[in-house]
Amino acid sequence: MTTPRLFSGMQPSADSLHFGNWAGALLQWKDMQDTHDATYCVVDLHAITVPQDPKALTHQTRRTAAQYIAAGIDPEKSTLFVQSHVPAHTQLAWVLNTITAFGEAGRMTQFKDKSQKEGTDHASVGLFTYPILQAADILLYDADVVPVGEDQRQHIELTRDLAGRFNQRFGDTLVQPEAKILKETAKIYDLQHPGSKMSKSGESPQGIVWLLDDEKTLTKKIKSAVTDSEPEVRFDPEAKPGVSNLLTMFSITSGMTIAQAEAHFAGSGYGDLKTQVAEAVVAAFAPIKARTEELLSDPAELDRLLALGASRANEVATATLQRVYDAVGF
Ligand code: ADP
Ligand code: NA
């Protein structure tokens, strides 16, 4: 039996990743390294589809890569690289552009959401074709599985459709991947707006728990989390979204199940709950923050690790692109 291949990535769109990115992506990526031939990418080409600042992009790309490593992605065991270091991504995206129907691209709901700020008339064509570049990212590595959140399901379907269509027109060339939708229990909500998911682009700065926040800031944010007026610590996402979110965060950082966490807090008040969640999160993040700072303080070492990843990624990606070029007649 061959080891299944996996591809996943995140945009370098902030200085720090947040609790949701860690719980919903990095923790699972870390575990999957042992059972998969894993490729993890910092997707900087995707990050320029919205207005951006070049200095911030450089900085955020390096910080995102450092956080992948600090959270347990092993650059020797897995392939960890920056998307713009591998030219085949844009080259395959062009070929896939030519087999994507305009209407098909237009049905991608994320463009509708993401273009709202600028309006569809001013949003970039790059934002519109973003899912096609994403398909190229995945297909270059012959990925069997793509671990993503529920919001990415449509893009993985498009990737499958494009691979299938390419193979039908030009002969068997590309591997059709499966989405692995990450666990619903790992969905983390904004501390101030527990009805909305925690997001890098979230509206209230106090609601986002950043991986690189210092201890004081983390503690203050968690102690100010919105809860409800009942006294009971109980897991009930519908009726008690704030408290349930804190229990989820506690469960992930302490290693207890939700039921064990509920039992642990039986008879406790929200003050006690928040104190213990804050302590658990601070303890879980401290080594990640320290390792990130260490990596960022040694730019030559980080460059070396990213060059190693780019070299491995290039080898696989160039071979796939060559199969595609041969198939289309280049
Ligand atoms: P953001 O919304 O903060 O920009 P991304 O869309 O870049 O996050 O998501 C990157 C990864 O992190 C995805 O795999 C996604 O499923 C995961 N993720 C993002 N936000 C959350 C969250 N609130 N809870 C759980 N997982 C999340
Ligand atoms: Na997002």
Side-chain angles (χ1 to χ4, degrees), residues 37 42 52 69 91 107 137 145 204 208 211 229 241 248 252 268 276 289 304 316:
D37 177 355
V42 179
Q52 55 100 5
I69 300 169
Q91 293 171 301
R107 282 192 290 277
D137 300 340
V145 278
S204 93
I208 310 170
L211 213 43
S229 51
T248 302
I252 294 167
S268 303
Q276 290 198 45
K289 186 171 182 306
R304 184 189 72 81
V316 179

Side-chain angles (χ1 to χ4, degrees), residues 8-11 13 17-26 29 110 114 130 147-152 182-184 186-190 196-202 210:
S8 203
M10 276 193 261
Q11 283 194 56
S13 46
L17 297 174
H18 57 70
F19 195 105
N21 299 137
W22 176 67
L26 290 174
W29 290 6
Q110 197 182 74
K114 290 202 171 174
Y130 182 118
V148 287
E150 178 61 44
D151 59 338
Q152 293 297 315
L182 296 170
K183 287 184 300 231
E184 186 58 27
K187 185 147 181 192
I188 306 301
Y189 297 88
D190 186 294
S196 317
K197 80 164 199 147
M198 191 178 287
S199 170
K200 289 191 220 95
S201 48
W210 298 110

Side-chain angles (χ1 to χ4, degrees), residues 248-302:
T248 302
M249 290 171 68
F250 185 77
S251 156
I252 294 167
T253 46
S254 71
M256 287 188 205
T257 62
I258 295 284
Q260 286 166 338
E262 274 184 314
H264 176 79
F265 289 109
S268 303
Y270 291 170
D272 193 22
L273 169 69
K274 288 176 173 179
T275 302
Q276 290 198 45
V277 172
E279 283 170 2
V281 174
V282 165
F285 284 9
I288 301 175
K289 186 171 182 306
R291 179 77 179 114
T292 302
E293 281 162 6
E294 189 181 48
L295 284 157
L296 293 172
S297 72
D298 187 354
E301 173 62 5
L302 189 56

Side-chain angles (χ1 to χ4, degrees), residues 52-272:
Q52 55 100 5
D53 172 60
K55 276 211 185 72
L57 181 64
T58 307
H59 184 75
Q60 290 169 0
T61 298
R62 297 179 68 81
R63 288 174 76 92
T64 301
Q67 288 169 87
Y68 282 12
I69 300 169
I73 304 306
D74 179 346
E76 304 287 341
K77 202 189 299 184
S78 301
T79 299
L80 187 171
F81 73 104
V82 175
Q83 189 186 26
S84 64
H85 298 178
V86 179
H89 289 256
T90 46
Q91 293 171 301
L92 179 58
W94 178 255
V95 175
L96 296 177
N97 264 306
T98 65
I99 65 162
T100 308
F102 188 77
E104 185 177 36
R107 282 192 290 277
M108 297 296 118
T109 57
Q110 197 182 74
F111 176 74
K112 289 171 195 153
D113 298 340
K114 290 202 171 174
S115 61
Q116 262 171 15
K117 224 193 232 160
E118 300 160 83
T120 46
D121 240 36
H122 295 281
S124 73
V125 174
L127 187 66
F128 184 70
T129 58
Y130 182 118
I132 302 168
L133 177 60
Q134 188 177 353
D137 300 340
I138 297 164
L139 297 174
L140 279 175
Y141 301 93
D142 290 337
D144 301 297
V145 278
V146 188
V148 287
E150 178 61 44
D151 59 338
Q152 293 297 315
R153 189 188 288 278
Q154 197 187 28
H155 291 174
I156 311 307
E157 271 312 307
L158 175 72
T159 305
R160 288 177 57 79
D161 289 347
L162 292 177
R165 187 174 310 151
F166 188 94
N167 291 345
Q168 208 169 28
R169 289 196 195 161
F170 302 105
D172 211 9
T173 310
L174 297 167
V175 174
Q176 280 186 299
E178 300 274 351
K180 182 183 189 301
I181 305 295
L182 296 170
K183 287 184 300 231
E184 186 58 27
T185 50
K187 185 147 181 192
I188 306 301
Y189 297 88
D190 186 294
L191 295 179
Q192 291 300 316
H193 306 278
S196 317
K197 80 164 199 147
M198 191 178 287
S199 170
K200 289 191 220 95
S201 48
E203 262 135 63
S204 93
Q206 291 312 308
I208 310 170
V209 176
W210 298 110
L211 213 43
L212 302 182
D213 271 341
D214 61 43
E215 176 173 348
K216 213 174 128 198
T217 308
L218 278 181
T219 305
K220 190 163 170 240
K221 282 181 184 171
I222 293 168
K223 288 199 169 171
S224 322
V226 167
T227 49
D228 54 63
S229 51
E230 264 182 33
E232 196 192 359
V233 179
R234 185 164 50 82
F235 189 78
D236 182 347
E238 293 278 306
K240 299 165 73 68
V243 168
S244 303
N245 190 39
L246 290 170
L247 280 169
T248 302
M249 290 171 68
F250 185 77
S251 156
I252 294 167
T253 46
S254 71
M256 287 188 205
T257 62
I258 295 284
Q260 286 166 338
E262 274 184 314
H264 176 79
F265 289 109
S268 303
Y270 291 170
D272 193 22

